[in-house]
Amino acid sequence: LPALALVECEIPEIIDLSHSRLARFSLQSSRLSRLVAVETQIDGELDLMGVAPLGAPGRETLTAKLRGVRIDGDLVARDAKFARATESSEDALMLQGAEIAGNAFFDGGFESFGCIWLQQARIAGGLCCEGGQLLNRSEAGDTAALTADGAEIGIVLMRQGLKAEGEVRFVGARIVQGFDFTDASLRNEFGVSLNLANAVAGGEIALNGAKISGQVLLSNADAARNLDLRGAEIT
């Protein structure tokens, strides 16, 4: 299909684009409950900027299942809000095995309630979460806010006001330019807060000014440059 834009719409039923191919797809500022795009190919940008949950008051949900999606431009989810049902264990945003030729933006006023999955994803540009909120903490400390095990990413920018509650995992990930968690807030006080075990960083791992509540695991991690912990607070 050519470019498809559903801008500022309200769509209560499932949008399913699985196995389709589009020149570009936009849901900018729309309200919806579920997006499914398994193994979809988008030749340009996927624009989810400002999308928000839809549902009964107090029970609004929005989840996206994008496993194996291929995006030849950017994935833009700036100011978007994803949320699973409060009583469920469903994931918020599923991008396992995704291929993104540009950048992935989960920044600005971005919020997710539920895990973001980037396992085995490949992002040629950056994963930018500056100022975003990733929330999926449990009292047992056994849930993840973001899982990017085995991912290949140009650079990880989870800094400048980022708030994550639940484990942030990059186990075995390969990051070309390195990790930047400058001034981030990571909380999972009853478990692992940041897990970079077996990760490879082509640049530095920057945790300067970060406030971390929970364990930090760096076992077998490989950083080509510095490990910067200046001004960090780890409890």
Side-chain angles (χ1 to χ4, degrees):
L1 295 173
L4 175 60
L6 300 170
V7 177
E8 296 183 0
C9 297
E10 287 197 5
I11 307 170
E13 302 299 331
I14 295 173
I15 300 174
D16 193 342
L17 301 172
S18 296
H19 309 291
S20 62
R21 181 175 182 179
L22 300 93
R24 179 180 176 274
F25 183 50
S26 175
L27 283 166
Q28 186 177 136
S29 301
S30 288
R31 297 179 65 210
L32 56 152
S33 60
R34 187 163 177 81
L35 171 64
V36 180
V38 174
E39 297 183 1
T40 298
Q41 181 172 336
I42 300 173
D43 295 338
E45 180 183 76
L46 173 56
D47 184 359
L48 302 177
M49 187 183 303
V51 297
L54 189 63
R59 301 180 64 85
E60 299 92 342
T61 61
L62 171 53
T63 60
K65 185 177 181 180
L66 308 175
R67 294 191 183 108
V69 69
R70 177 176 174 178
I71 303 168
D72 288 340
D74 293 333
L75 167 57
V76 183
R78 183 172 295 125
D79 299 324
K81 293 176 173 55
F82 292 87
R84 60 170 172 80
T86 304
E87 66 277 6
S88 81
S89 59
E90 191 174 13
D91 302 309
L93 187 55
M94 292 153 272
L95 284 155
Q96 297 97 320
E99 295 186 24
I100 302 172
N103 304 286
F105 293 102
F106 305 124
D107 56 355
F110 177 87
E111 296 179 11
S112 65
F113 175 54
C115 185
I116 296 177
W117 282 88
L118 287 164
Q119 191 174 34
Q120 304 298 328
R122 290 190 289 178
I123 304 173
L127 171 62
C128 180
C129 302
E130 295 179 349
Q133 295 191 52
L134 317 180
L135 311 175
N136 197 39
R137 187 173 63 94
S138 69
E139 292 302 322
D142 57 355
T143 52
L146 183 144
T147 298
D149 295 356
E152 297 180 14
I153 304 172
I155 188 170
V156 173
L157 303 173
M158 301 186 72
R159 61 187 184 184
Q160 305 298 338
L162 168 83
K163 178 182 179 181
E165 296 190 1
E167 184 176 358
V168 174
R169 294 176 55 95
F170 287 90
V171 176
R174 300 180 66 86
I175 312 301
V176 176
Q177 297 182 52
F179 295 92
D180 190 347
F181 294 95
T182 301
D183 295 325
S185 173
L186 309 178
R187 180 186 177 200
N188 195 32
E189 61 266 54
F190 299 113
V192 177
S193 186
L194 178 61
N195 193 341
L196 303 183
N198 299 303
V200 177
E204 72 175 9
I205 300 175
L207 292 162
N208 47 305
K211 292 180 171 56
I212 303 174
S213 179
Q215 289 182 308
V216 176
L217 298 184
L218 296 165
S219 53
N220 296 313
D222 184 351
R225 293 180 59 199
N226 300 329
L227 171 62
D228 189 346
L229 293 165
R230 291 173 294 178
E233 299 178 14
I234 304 176
T235 57

